[in-house]
Amino acid sequence: MDLRQMEYVVAVAEEGGFSAAARRLHVVQSAVSGTVRAVERELGVQLFHRTTHRVSLTAAGQAFVSAARTALHAARQVRVAVDLTKGELGGELRVGVMQGVFTALDEALAAFHEQHPGVLIRLRQAPADTIGPSLRDGALDLAIVALDQPQPRGLTTRLLFEEEMVLVTAATGALPDDRPVTVPEVARLPLVDFTAGWAIRHAVDRAFRAAGVDRSTTFEVNDLLTAADLVRRDLGVCVMPESIAARFPDLTTRRFADHAPFWTVRVVRPAGEPPPAVAALLRHIR
């Protein structure tokens, strides 16, 4: 078994299917399927449960992927060590990012790429509740994520910024004036919520609980552009971090009078001494 075979199996596990893994690896799907079958024959076990619409890891597959990630990480570190003897920084850097927080990273990535063009950067967008496990099991090297707790198990965090969330409405406005809104007022309006697992949703849920107010969701979405479009059409209102709301200048923002949700963004990485590429990128993240 070689590293390429391990990489193929890990790609299928992380992408949730053979077609998506093939796109990520820039190969045809048959190459991925054939490689996975060859590994399964060699090991004498089935690594994936296969259905018409998706694949999922078996118990043996979970054990394989965990060990394979360790082996692939070690191989990347070998390449980095050799590149450093030549005065270069190379290899691959896998960075997790949530929707809405990329602005905390764009300038850092530009400066890092200018200094270290030999490093391949893979950006992976995911909800906050999946990024922590991905950092712990080696699927990600670094992440920019909204987190309430400063030090999750096995991870090192650094605060980047905190900001208050605001209510976003259509320009015509669901409320008659521009005074700060209250949580009970917002609960009576049609709400555009983000899906469970999103950090924004978690912060909004917490704010409503703190105010002792129940709410019902009219629309539930998993991307910012759809949320903004629903608000633009005056189909609902949405609670967003102020920096995200600023990306939609045609919409109206209203502050909360009290119990405002807060957005806390941190840079997160596995505990311990960071690899050279991670350390170099961290120096650019402010």
Side-chain angles (χ1 to χ4, degrees):
M1 187 184 310
D2 58 33
L3 291 172
R4 179 187 62 85
Q5 292 174 307
M6 294 183 192
E7 184 181 13
Y8 279 32
V9 175
V10 170
V12 174
E14 292 179 350
E15 299 298 330
F18 291 92
S19 298
R23 288 193 295 270
R24 167 173 150 182
L25 296 166
H26 305 293
V27 298
V28 296
Q29 180 178 335
S30 58
V32 178
S33 302
T35 298
V36 171
R37 285 196 298 270
V39 172
E40 290 177 324
R41 284 195 300 270
E42 180 178 344
L43 296 174
V45 295
Q46 187 174 348
L47 299 177
F48 294 98
H49 297 296
R50 296 162 171 85
T51 66
T52 305
H53 301 291
R54 62 187 299 270
V55 299
S56 59
L57 287 167
T58 63
Q62 291 174 352
F64 180 96
V65 167
S66 178
R69 282 173 174 155
T70 300
L72 292 169
H73 178 73
R76 285 193 294 270
Q77 293 308 105
V78 169
R79 173 60 64 87
V80 168
V82 172
D83 288 340
L84 286 175
T85 66
K86 300 183 292 184
E88 302 172 358
L89 193 60
E92 178 180 299
L93 191 57
R94 298 155 303 163
V95 180
V97 62
M98 291 168 29
Q99 281 200 42
V101 301
F102 182 71
T103 51
L105 193 61
D106 53 358
E107 292 185 5
L109 288 177
F112 175 87
H113 181 66
E114 183 177 357
Q115 290 188 6
H116 308 290
V119 178
L120 171 64
I121 299 174
R122 296 189 185 274
L123 286 177
R124 296 184 182 170
Q125 187 169 279
D129 60 352
T130 66
I131 285 181
S134 295
L135 287 164
R136 280 189 284 268
D137 66 18
L140 293 175
D141 301 304
L142 179 76
I144 306 296
V145 62
L147 280 179
D148 297 322
Q149 52 183 8
Q151 189 85 18
R153 178 180 56 84
L155 303 176
T156 295
T157 70
R158 173 163 58 89
L159 178 66
L160 291 182
F161 63 88
E162 289 182 302
E163 66 174 307
E164 194 172 301
M165 293 189 184
V166 295
L167 181 71
V168 180
T169 72
T172 54
L175 296 165
D177 51 48
D178 59 359
R179 62 176 171 76
V181 296
T182 66
V183 172
E185 281 180 306
V186 175
R188 291 193 293 269
L189 299 173
L191 286 174
V192 179
D193 261 330
F194 296 98
T195 54
W198 274 55
I200 296 177
R201 173 66 177 268
H202 179 67
V204 172
D205 287 346
R206 189 174 64 245
F208 274 80
R209 285 196 302 270
V213 176
D214 292 327
R215 78 185 196 277
S216 59
T217 297
T218 305
F219 296 97
E220 187 174 272
V221 299
N222 64 356
D223 72 280
L224 296 167
L225 293 178
T226 300
D229 198 43
L230 288 168
V231 173
R232 188 175 292 113
R233 295 172 183 272
D234 206 13
L235 295 174
V237 299
C238 185
V239 181
M240 297 181 183
E242 190 171 12
S243 60
I244 294 178
R247 301 181 197 177
F248 309 108
D250 60 318
L251 302 179
T252 299
T253 60
R254 306 280 291 275
R255 293 193 177 278
F256 283 86
D258 54 15
H259 297 293
F262 272 86
W263 173 253
T264 303
V265 176
R266 305 176 191 273
V267 57
V268 190
R269 64 174 178 84
E273 187 69 22
V278 173
L281 179 56
L282 286 170
R283 288 192 289 271
H284 290 288
I285 297 175
R286 298 288 181 267

